[in-house]
Structures are given as C-alpha cells and as structure tokens.
Amino acid sequence: MAILNSFTTACLKNIPGNALNKHLFFTLRAFYNSQSRSVLGISEERAISPPIGLERTTVKNLKEMPGPSALANFIEFFWRDGFSRIHEIQLEHSKKYGKIFKSRFGPQLVVSIADRDLVAQVLRSESAAPQRGNMDSWKEYRDLRGRSTGLISAEGEDWLRMRSVLRQLIMRPRDVAVFSDDVNAVVDDLIKRICVLRSQESDGATVLNVNDLYFNYAMEAVAAILYECRLGCLENEVPQETQEYISALHLMFSSFKTTMYAGAIPKWLRTIIPKPWEEFCLSWDGLFKFSLIHVNKRFEEIKTQLERGDEVKGGLLTHMLVTKQMSLEDIYANVTEMLLAGVDTTSFTLSWATYMLALHPHIQQQIFTEVTNTLGPEKVATANDVQHLPLIRGLVKETLRLFPVLPGNGRVTQDDLILGGYFIPKGTQLALCHYSTSLDDENFTEALDFRPDRWLRKDTSDHVDNFGSIPFGYGIRSCIGRRIAELEMHLLLTRLIQKFHIGLSPLTDEVKAKTHGLLCPGAPINLQFIDREIQT
Amino acid sequence: MSLLIALRRLAHVRLGELSRRTTAVTLSSGARLSGLRSFTVGTQALRSDKVTFHFINRDGEKITVKGSPGDTLLDIVINEDLDFDGFGACEGTLACSTCHLIFDEEVYKKLGRVTDEEMDMLDLAYGLTETSRLGCQICLTKSLEGMVARVPDSVTDIRQSKDESA
Ligand code: HEM
Ligand code: FES
C-alpha cells in the first residue's frame, strides 16, 4: 500500500500543468525576478509560462555559442592526432573560447563545460537515471552475442535496477572496508615482486615501467574482490592460464581504446572498413570469456556445496549468485565491465602517485613521518587506519587532481537546461572538462603545484568547495568502484612509503600525460625502491 | 521521466528494507551467507522505544515523525514517505550529498563523529553550513529525542536567489 501510494504521488507530481517541463520552468524562474516567490509558490506546477520576451533577450541559443569550427576541429583531431592530446586541447579551448563552448565531431555536437559551478549545476540537477553518452555500439555487441549490459553500458530502468543492487554492496565505505585483508594479501605479493624485480637490475633498486607492476596489482586486487579468487598475476612464475589472460587483457585494454571509436564509424562503412568493429567484438569476446570462466567456477562450487548440504560462505560474487537479485547474465556483464573500469584507472593513478613522490622527496618524507608516527615501522594498515593518515588521503586526491584518469566526462541532457546563459535543448551531449577545472588557479591556488597537504582540514567544519576536482564523478551515476579503488590505493601507498624510499631512476625522463582513452603516462616510469632502515 | 521517478521511489522502498538486511551481513570472505535471511535490525522495536524527531521542510513547515533507534535519518524520511524532492538520491551510499540536513549547534554536537568520506561529500553539498551533516550517516539514538533537522533549500531555489543577487 505504501508502495502504491508513493507510486501515485510520484506520478501525479509529474503531470505537467502545461507543455513546459518542470526543469526548464525552474531554471527560467531565475530570470523572473519581478515575481515574488509566494506568488510563484501558489501556481508552481501550473499556470505560469515564461515571459517570452525576457527569455529571448537574456537567454542565448546554441548558435551564438563560441567554439572551434568543424573543420578546425577535424584537422586538430584526425590530422594532428588530437585524440592523444584531448586533455591539452580541452585547456587550450577553454582559454580561447571561455567556460562554455561548442565543438563539432562530424554530425555530433558537443557542448563543453570548463567551469566548476556549471559542472556542479549539471550534476546537481540530474534525473533518476543519468546518461553519459551514446552506448549504441556497446549495446549492439551485447545484442549480437545475447549478452546483458552492465553498469557502464546500461541505460534507464535497466541501469537503475542493477545500480540499486550493486551500490548496496560495494559503495559504502564500511562495506568495502571488510576487504582490507584480501587487499593486504595482494599488497604483500606486490612488495615481494618489487624485491625480485629490483634484484634483477644492475643497481639492485630499479623497477622498470612500474605501471606494468601496478596493472598486475590492480587486476589481482579487483579479482580478489570480484571473483573471490587469486589469479597469480604477481607471482614469479605466473600460472600459464593466468599469463594468457594477462596478455589477452593487455591486448584488449590497448586495442580497446582504439576500437572505442568503432562506434563512431557508421554501420554502412563497416563493409568497407571492417577492422575496427571486428576488433571491438573480439575484445569484448575475450573480456566476457574471462569473466564467464571465473563466475561459472564459483557457481559450480556453490552448487556442489549446496548439494552436499554444506554451508555456503563467501564474498561479493557468492552474495550475488546466492541472492539472485540479478540474473546470471547481469552478473557476467557487470563483473566484466567492472574489471574493465577498475584496472587501468587504478594502475595509472598509482603510477602518477609514486612518480610524484619520487619527484618530491621532501613531501615523501613528510608522508613517511606521518605514516611511521601513526603505524610504526611494521604495522600493516587496514581501512580503519586510513582516517589517521590524512596525508595518504591527500596524496591520492592531489594525484587525481593533477592527473584525473578521466580528463573529461560526458552527460546527455535529459531536460532542457539553461547553462551559463545559453539554452541547451534536451538530448545535447555535454562534455564536463574535469582536467581544466582541476588545473584552474581560480579553483586551486598554484594549481600546477603538487601539494597533498592542500587537502588537510583544520577541523571538521573546515570545508572547501571542491567541485573543481571530482575524479570519481558526483552523484547517482558516479564511479561505483570508488571505495574499492581508494582502499587499494590507500593500503598500497601506505605500505610502499613505510617500506621504501622511492626515487627516480636515471632512466626516467620527464614523463608527460597523454590521453589514450584515459589519461595515462606518456612514457615508462622507472623508479628505485630503496629499503628504509627500520629504527628500533 | 515520471515513470523513472516512480521506479526510483519503488526501488527506494524496497531497498530501504534490503539495506537494513544486507548491511548486517559482513561480506568479507568467510562471512556466513546462511545467516542472510534471518537478519533484521531495528524493525521489531517496540512502540515505546521509538524516538520522536522533527524535520522542517523547505516551506518552513514542521513535520513530526517517530523512528527506531539505529535507523538513519534517511531511513526515516523513506519509511515515513516524507516528500523532500530529490532527497537521498544514492540511497545512503555516500555518493550524492542530497540528504543534506542542517542542525542547531547543540544538536549538531550530539550527532557523533563525521567520517572523512562524509566530509568529502559534504564539501559538495548545496548551501553548506557549519552545522551541516548528511542524513544518511546519522543514526537515531535516544539522545536525539525531540530534536529538529532542517532540510535546506533545493538546488533550484538556491540557484534562483544566487541569480537574483547577481
Ligand atoms: C582511480 C580509480 C578510478 C577512477 C579515477 C574512476 C573514475 C570513474 C569515473 C570518473 C566514472 C564516471 C562517473 C560519472 O559518469 O559520473 C567511473 C565510472 C565507473 N567506474 Fe570507476 N574509477 C576508478 C576505479 C574503478 C574501479 C576499481 C571499479 C570497479 C571495481 C570502477 C568501476 C566503475 C563503473 C562500473 C563505472 C560506471 C558506473 C555507472 O555508470 O553506474 N571504477 N569511474
Ligand atoms: S543519500 Fe547520497 S549521500 Fe546520503
């Protein structure tokens, strides 16, 4: 009954009194100064239509919005390989055209927003199921193979249904804190691996291309949580089976970024240029295969246990398989998409964080002091200790501010909106320029400096408006793996700083960021890991 | 559009119950799933155990409700079907800050520790004050008997006053 009630009130509330939709109405109200609020209050949902004349003079339309010409954009991206410099172009364009500008990519119009407050406005006025961008190619693959969509590719009610289940499992910090021991076991393996790798170098200290190492770490840690099993990515002798998966995944992750654009190539062109679409499908086949193997393995184990009348114990996957809140296909799709979203993102951030520590020995020493004062030389941190390590949290936040893995994000507007004085019709593709807002001096003093301590709070009422840096997004469609990623990064960085002095290898030149789907290191980062002397 | 909102509300109601069950179950490897179904928290509380709590909605009206100790303030808003537009969008999973509430100073002091994660989300709340908290992070206790929380203006209301002053 209560359910029915809320259902009807929700429906009633949304019957529009006139053709004007509610959102537009509220935004237009802003320009409606002469009316007193109480008058508006009475007839809120109904009679008032916007003062047409006023609207015309104050609100500009898309045609009036500045931005690069379609041709200039085409040359920039396809001729000058702008795709690898998307983050820089974002900065250039926002300097040149302002905080809101439009660009054309073929038939696709994109409105870019490089302003903290406008980004906040968009994300705060989101509806029940926000849409990031066009996912047709992802859906087409899934239809072709009879697979489900996962959180990244699902839309509308489908997305909401799965999100409602998954967020109750892996979004709350306290629900994720219980994975501390699992993650720490993977950290143990990573430390061992570092010791083996550096002993193979002539200086006995260097680990070449640390991102490979962190990739294996992130994959092992996500698998420990998602699949409830260890893959052996960090062992000296990686099991043959896992080795194949790792290479397949490497290939997939790298080809994936190029095939991402497969969706941009119109269907009729596929007969002439078939390769991108074929590779796109092959990548997904591999990703799904990997998940299927692990999910099915656990499923069989559970079945046997049940048949034998044993008690079924387990973690996330077991919970999903036993409670059946989602179908088996939904589970396959979601673990597949989470694995895809959870490995590169975390490993790039870890690469940048340790690179920054190596570049700033003074800051590294500060954090080392905090860690040893809090934990001593030996104690292994768990999620509960992180609250006493504000500089470790600051290190991750500052790294993601300077190197937001997703330098820009997307939203398709689901209502007409007025943004920065422009009328944006429903269905417009927006680009939220996180890279620009993160590096904007207006938002962060001396924004180019690496200063983890800028995130420290004097006390609990010390707040900053930090919409300028939201590396995991904000709101109901934000990163669902955020707390898992944070746990993995906090625990690993704490342990690395506790155990090693991290230095730059002479083999490393200045490393710049490049965009390859995500913002990633443009060259290998080689670091030295030198044991800290344990003071007793 | 309206269908989606309705669906969300539906999900809310169902998940209000669900979350109370699942949060009681530890999900670490080694957790006993067999205990899942038998677990309920706070729902069997006796009437006399209930705590009276007041909300002041965006129109300044006072709404008085009763809740069980252990329920979060967001649970109460959902259980009592209080109509605060857009409130609690992420269902208490610390992703949105739409469950923002403002307290009097004396009440604020009684609310207990703020976690780092809550503070980070509060940074992104609209119309933040020094005595702001997130409703999904506050559990009702006996000591909150008769206390008041104010639901701050919504995004759109604030946007209006900002534009007016500009
Ligand atoms: C440093 C690490 C990570 C960063 C910076 C990051 C960042 C992001 C961002 C910016 C989004 C888009 C949010 C939005 O549109 O508002 C996102 C979505 C997502 N992320 Fe992450 N992520 C990270 C790690 C992870 C991990 C470890 C997982 C999985 C366990 C994961 C799973 C997902 C999923 C499934 C989505 C889509 C959510 C949805 O559409 O409902 N991410 N991530
Ligand atoms: S409901 Fe989203 S943070 Fe409280």
Side-chain angles (χ1 to χ4, degrees), chain A residues 6 70 165 210 316 335 376:
Chain A
S6 55
V165 174
V210 287
L316 180 63
V335 293

Side-chain angles (χ1 to χ4, degrees), chain A residues 8 51 76-77 90 124 155 157 198 218 222 247 263-264 269 301 317-318 341 362 369 515 520 533-534:
Chain A
T8 40
E76 180 86 62
F77 277 87
Q90 196 190 93
R124 278 171 173 156
E155 302 290 4
E157 290 159 36
R198 67 179 181 180
V222 163
S247 0
L269 254 179
E301 284 167 9
L317 182 59
T318 309
H362 185 68
T369 310
T515 313
C520 56
E533 268 159 40
I534 294 180

Side-chain angles (χ1 to χ4, degrees), chain A residues 2-3 5-7 9-11 13-14 22 26-27 29-33 35 37 40 117 121 124-125 127-129 156-157 160 163-165 167-169 171-175 178-179 182 311-316 318-319 322-323 325 386-388 393 397 414-415 457 459-467 470 474-476 478 482-483 486, chain B residues 1-19 22-23 25-37 58-59 79 81 83 85 89-98 108 113-130 132 136-137 153 155-157 159-160 162-164:
Chain A
I3 292 176
N5 258 342
S6 55
F7 189 88
T9 41
C11 290
K13 268 197 315 210
N14 283 284
K22 208 169 151 190
F26 278 120
T27 28
R29 229 166 73 172
F31 301 91
Y32 206 29
N33 297 344
Q35 293 288 340
R37 228 176 127 187
L40 280 165
D117 296 333
Q121 187 193 332
R124 278 171 173 156
S125 53
S127 60
E157 290 159 36
L160 192 61
R163 178 92 187 188
S164 300
V165 174
R167 69 181 161 205
Q168 296 298 340
L169 301 175
M171 274 234 76
R172 278 197 197 82
R174 68 160 181 267
D175 293 341
V178 298
F179 297 120
D182 301 281
E311 194 174 58
V312 178
K313 294 178 181 179
L316 180 63
T318 309
H319 183 96
V322 170
T323 57
Q325 293 166 319
V386 176
Q387 55 180 311
H388 306 299
R393 298 188 89 244
K397 286 183 184 179
Q414 295 183 337
D415 282 303
R457 295 175 203 272
D459 54 58
T460 52
S461 63
D462 183 11
H463 283 289
V464 277
D465 180 345
N466 62 11
F467 248 106
I470 42 167
Y474 169 78
I476 45 176
S478 62
R482 170 178 189 168
R483 304 302 174 189
E486 285 176 342
Chain B
M1 187 51 230
S2 59
L3 179 66
L4 267 181
I5 288 183
L7 263 165
R8 209 192 93 201
R9 286 226 130 204
L10 274 176
H12 244 327
V13 176
R14 201 171 53 76
L15 278 161
E17 281 157 29
L18 181 87
S19 67
T22 45
T23 48
V25 176
T26 334
L27 277 172
S28 67
S29 350
R32 303 172 61 168
L33 276 163
S34 45
L36 240 184
R37 242 160 250 123
R58 293 183 182 120
D59 296 326
N79 294 345
D81 207 9
D83 182 23
D85 197 30
C90 78
E91 293 174 336
T93 55
L94 270 181
C96 74
S97 71
T98 59
Y108 178 80
R113 210 175 75 83
V114 196
T115 62
D116 291 321
E117 290 86 358
E118 181 183 348
M119 264 185 295
D120 289 349
M121 290 320 295
L122 268 174
D123 282 346
L124 305 171
Y126 228 143
L128 191 69
T129 71
E130 295 219 329
S132 289
C136 69
Q137 299 302 302
D153 278 349
V155 183
T156 39
D157 295 333
R159 197 184 307 150
Q160 179 191 29
K162 217 162 131 190
D163 285 347
E164 270 169 5

